[in-house]
Amino acid sequence: MTAKVYIDVVSKCEMNIRLDNVRLLESDPKAPETLIDADKSGEFRTNLEKSALAFSFQDGRIVELCTSIPEKTWVLNIKRGILSAVQNSMDDLTQDQTVQETDITGECKTAYTVSSNGWYSRTIKKSKDLLGCIDRHGYNTIMQGTPYKIQSEIQSLPLIKGSHECSQDISKAGILQSSVCEEEHVLRPFSRESSGAITKTKQTLKYVTERVSSSSSISIGHRVPLTFVHSNDGRGTIRDVMSKLNEICVSTSDSVKPDTPLLFSGLVRLMKALESDDLEQIYRKVKGTRFCASNQKRVEKFFLDAVPMLGTKASLRLITNLINKKEVRGIEANMWLTTLSFIKDPTKEMLNEVKPLISSEDSEEAMLGVSSLVYAYYKKNECENDVDIASIVVSIEDKIGVGCHVIRSLRSLGNAGFVSNSIRTISNCMTKRENPTEVRLSAMQAFRRMPCAISRDDVMAIFRNKDEDSELRIASYQALMTCPSDNVLSRVRNVLESEEVNQVGSYVWSHLTNLMETSSPLKQEIKNIINDQALKKEFDLEN
């Protein structure tokens, strides 16, 4: 790829990057040393040149990118790569320095070395061991996880050893004259020293000229990070999907064969690119008797099994429509609703698509899946003043009713972890002693994902009340320990000093003792609090 890169200075800390004369080249099959335009080079150029990308420039660091219109993921990633080659995070260009830097490779420990210092320019080299970078890898999996950071030189599976090195020539006036970045990736299982499966890339930027710019600030539509964004978007059309379904029809006419899983995964990949109307159209064709008449039921089953695997806005609209129209029901509908919990990066548009499910006849099953989807979105976005998210939570809350008899609603509120007015409802269900124990337990467990800023005074009151059921008191202790603090532990200690119920005292004692020995990175802060010598003595945790 070759291109002209324009960096327009809007203000001291705001700049725009534009690309022009973009070419995507490949070797000529007839003359390998000659480069020619690759297929779809025109489309490639159009996408990259379509719009400018604004970025925040803070003393050499690129903090944030801002797009005026939605851009394709691969387009932004190419621009991220160019800007990463420009970035320099040194505080002093004359001295070697090691810093924590974020760019397209992730957040990495980066060593800057001043390799030469001439009369007119200086050469600075920066290097990174990619194994030590975080926020680098993307995993296409339905398994949900909670990321955490630990002090280690290895932050990813060491199957691939990667290095990243850049050489920047900077004039004494502070202008970047050139930047040459090279990466090398070695697949370790099949390598020996310098031999094996190796990939090398090289990127070169050269300063050409400087001129007065008339560029102005662009409207900000989306803020995006400088780190690489992994995309699992498919590239398929209705024709491609129908062709794949026809392959499945022929292949599975007698039985499911060893190559069937590969055909199914290919079907899912193609369907990811389709809009909701396209999926609806294919569904009608597959459901009819004219397509694959001899194996229609099996092909229809493959299509329906693929729909919840897509995790796209279009698939969620189809799921909602088919369930509400009763075209999918029973076990299959429940399975579809369960898969909502496994969508890794939901968008607000996706949440709005599934909101009608809460009002459907299958609302009890739907609430758990939708609330898990809310939490997956809430973890990565600011939602405190989000009307759409609050509306979904209120819809779940409305299902509780005056008598607090809908346990799944309480569990769904706990899944969401989002606070609107629901905290009052949860507290009421928890504190009313006439409510069944199971209802009160579900209300307490709803605190498990609530922010620590939310008051847990009612929970503490139940824990301290020795007349309450032991199961409720233990559940209240668990809710309190989701947000432990010196104050919480001090009050727990006061309760433990005069505890008369052996079941409660033994549980708390055992739990605190286990926390003393935990190696979980997520619980080190709790461990540090409990390691306090006064607490050790008070609880006798060392014996």
Side-chain angles (χ1 to χ4, degrees):
M1 169 186 162
T2 63
K4 286 185 177 180
V5 178
Y6 296 91
I7 295 181
D8 301 319
V9 179
V10 179
S11 66
K12 186 177 180 180
C13 299
E14 181 185 354
M15 302 182 187
N16 299 336
I17 180 174
R18 296 181 290 116
L19 271 63
D20 195 16
N21 293 339
V22 176
R23 295 184 67 193
L24 183 63
L25 305 172
E26 64 180 2
S27 297
D28 188 341
K30 298 179 181 178
E33 295 182 358
T34 304
L35 296 177
I36 59 174
D37 287 328
D39 291 340
K40 297 186 178 180
S41 180
E43 180 184 349
F44 183 81
R45 173 178 178 170
T46 300
N47 280 292
L48 283 171
E49 295 180 2
K50 183 164 57 175
S51 63
L53 176 68
F55 61 94
S56 172
F57 190 76
Q58 307 290 335
D59 294 329
R61 290 180 182 262
I62 296 172
V63 180
E64 194 174 42
L65 312 180
C66 302
T67 63
S68 57
I69 59 173
E71 290 202 77
K72 295 181 179 180
T73 303
W74 66 266
V75 172
L76 285 175
N77 282 335
I78 289 176
K79 294 179 181 179
R80 287 181 173 107
I82 296 171
L83 290 173
S84 295
V86 173
Q87 179 172 244
N88 185 301
S89 302
M90 299 173 73
D91 296 326
D92 185 347
L93 296 178
T94 64
Q95 296 183 359
D96 296 351
Q97 188 178 2
T98 299
V99 299
Q100 199 72 10
E101 182 178 81
T102 300
D103 62 10
I104 193 166
T105 61
E107 184 181 335
C108 313
K109 183 179 179 181
T110 307
Y112 280 91
T113 306
V114 182
S115 61
S116 66
N117 201 348
W119 286 102
Y120 303 105
S121 66
R122 60 175 58 91
T123 300
I124 296 172
K125 295 186 180 296
K126 66 174 178 177
S127 59
K128 308 177 183 186
D129 181 358
L130 299 182
L131 273 179
C133 298
I134 59 177
D135 294 334
R136 172 172 172 76
H137 295 285
Y139 303 97
N140 185 15
T141 173
I142 62 172
M143 299 303 294
Q144 293 281 14
T146 301
Y148 57 82
K149 299 179 182 179
I150 58 174
Q151 293 295 325
S152 174
E153 294 297 320
I154 298 177
Q155 294 289 345
S156 58
L157 288 175
L159 294 176
I160 297 178
K161 180 181 180 181
S163 62
H164 177 95
E165 295 184 351
C166 287
S167 177
Q168 296 178 330
D169 286 333
I170 303 175
S171 71
K172 290 301 175 80
I175 297 175
L176 180 66
Q177 300 295 311
S178 69
S179 178
V180 180
C181 295
E182 298 184 41
E183 278 192 18
E184 181 176 284
H185 303 273
V186 180
L187 183 62
R188 282 181 159 178
F190 302 102
S191 65
R192 184 175 181 180
E193 296 181 355
S194 60
S195 64
I198 300 176
T199 300
K200 295 182 179 181
T201 64
K202 184 176 182 179
Q203 174 186 0
T204 302
L205 287 176
K206 290 185 178 180
Y207 172 78
V208 177
T209 187
E210 176 183 353
R211 66 188 183 192
V212 177
S213 171
S214 59
S215 181
S216 58
S217 297
I218 65 174
S219 59
I220 298 176
H222 303 274
R223 297 179 185 272
V224 293
L226 185 59
T227 51
F228 186 89
V229 173
H230 298 266
S231 174
N232 296 314
D233 297 337
R235 294 184 178 89
T237 62
I238 293 179
R239 179 179 294 180
D240 294 332
V241 172
M242 294 304 296
S243 175
K244 184 64 69 174
L245 286 169
N246 191 57
E247 284 186 61
I248 293 174
C249 171
V250 174
S251 175
T252 62
S253 58
D254 298 325
S255 62
V256 175
K257 297 181 174 62
D259 65 337
T260 303
L262 182 62
L263 291 173
F264 180 74
S265 62
L267 175 66
V268 172
R269 186 171 60 254
L270 292 172
M271 288 172 62
K272 278 179 176 287
L274 301 185
E275 297 296 330
S276 56
D277 290 342
D278 299 334
L279 292 176
E280 181 79 25
Q281 182 179 337
I282 294 172
Y283 170 68
R284 297 302 168 194
K285 288 182 178 180
V286 170
K287 194 171 179 62
T289 56
R290 298 179 63 183
F291 180 79
C292 188
S294 61
N295 196 18
Q296 186 268 331
K297 286 296 182 184
R298 182 171 287 170
V299 171
E300 180 185 354
K301 185 69 169 66
F302 273 107
F303 175 79
L304 292 177
D305 285 348
V307 170
M309 302 292 291
L310 306 183
T312 63
K313 174 186 172 183
S315 67
L316 294 186
R317 176 175 292 184
L318 183 64
I319 286 172
T320 302
N321 289 341
L322 294 184
I323 290 178
N324 283 341
K325 291 177 181 177
K326 298 298 182 185
E327 294 189 39
V328 173
R329 62 179 70 194
I331 294 176
E332 186 150 38
N334 290 341
M335 184 271 289
W336 278 16
L337 294 171
T338 300
T339 60
L340 296 179
S341 304
F342 301 119
I343 296 177
K344 189 177 178 183
D345 296 307
T347 63
K348 188 188 293 187
E349 290 77 15
M350 294 165 70
L351 289 169
N352 287 331
E353 291 294 346
V354 297
K355 182 183 175 183
L357 289 172
I358 299 174
S359 304
S360 68
E361 292 182 15
D362 297 294
S363 62
E364 288 198 13
E365 293 290 341
M367 282 190 295
L368 294 173
V370 173
S371 60
S372 295
L373 208 60
V374 169
Y375 181 66
Y377 179 81
Y378 180 48
K379 283 194 299 185
K380 299 182 179 180
N381 298 275
E382 295 292 333
C383 300
E384 281 73 13
N385 300 314
D386 195 310
V387 177
D388 294 324
I389 305 301
S391 174
I392 295 174
V393 174
V394 169
S395 298
I396 296 173
E397 183 184 344
D398 289 342
K399 293 287 183 179
I400 295 176
V402 179
C404 306
H405 295 306
V406 183
I407 292 175
R408 288 197 182 184
S409 297
L410 289 168
R411 290 175 178 168
S412 298
L413 290 174
N415 275 352
F418 178 82
V419 180
S420 55
N421 294 323
S422 62
I423 193 66
R424 289 198 297 270
T425 304
I426 293 171
S427 292
N428 288 336
C429 292
M430 177 181 63
T431 55
K432 287 184 179 179
R433 302 191 68 172
E434 59 268 25
N435 285 336
T437 299
E438 190 175 3
V439 170
R440 298 183 70 191
L441 284 172
S442 297
M444 285 181 197
Q445 291 163 358
F447 281 90
R448 68 187 184 278
R449 288 177 172 173
M450 296 291 180
C452 291
I454 298 300
S455 172
R456 285 166 169 75
D457 289 344
D458 289 338
V459 182
M460 177 62 78
I462 292 175
F463 174 64
R464 297 177 65 181
N465 188 348
K466 294 180 173 57
D467 294 329
E468 288 283 9
D469 182 82
S470 296
E471 187 177 5
L472 290 171
R473 294 185 64 204
I474 290 173
S476 64
Y477 168 77
Q478 292 171 336
L480 290 170
M481 291 302 286
T482 58
C483 291
S485 63
D486 289 326
N487 180 51
V488 168
L489 285 171
S490 176
R491 297 171 76 178
V492 169
R493 177 178 59 200
N494 292 336
V495 172
L496 200 57
E497 285 175 350
S498 58
E499 184 56 59
E500 299 173 357
V501 181
N502 186 56
Q503 185 178 355
V504 176
S506 297
Y507 180 87
V508 174
W509 189 288
S510 299
H511 183 254
L512 291 173
T513 303
N514 289 336
L515 287 177
M516 283 282 294
E517 301 171 358
T518 183
S519 59
S520 169
L522 301 176
K523 296 181 179 178
Q524 291 307 300
E525 186 176 347
I526 305 175
K527 181 178 178 179
N528 292 336
I529 295 174
I530 297 173
N531 262 323
D532 179 83
Q533 293 300 318
L535 284 174
K536 282 185 179 180
K537 183 177 179 181
E538 196 70 48
F539 286 128
D540 193 23
L541 294 174
E542 294 178 320
N543 296 327

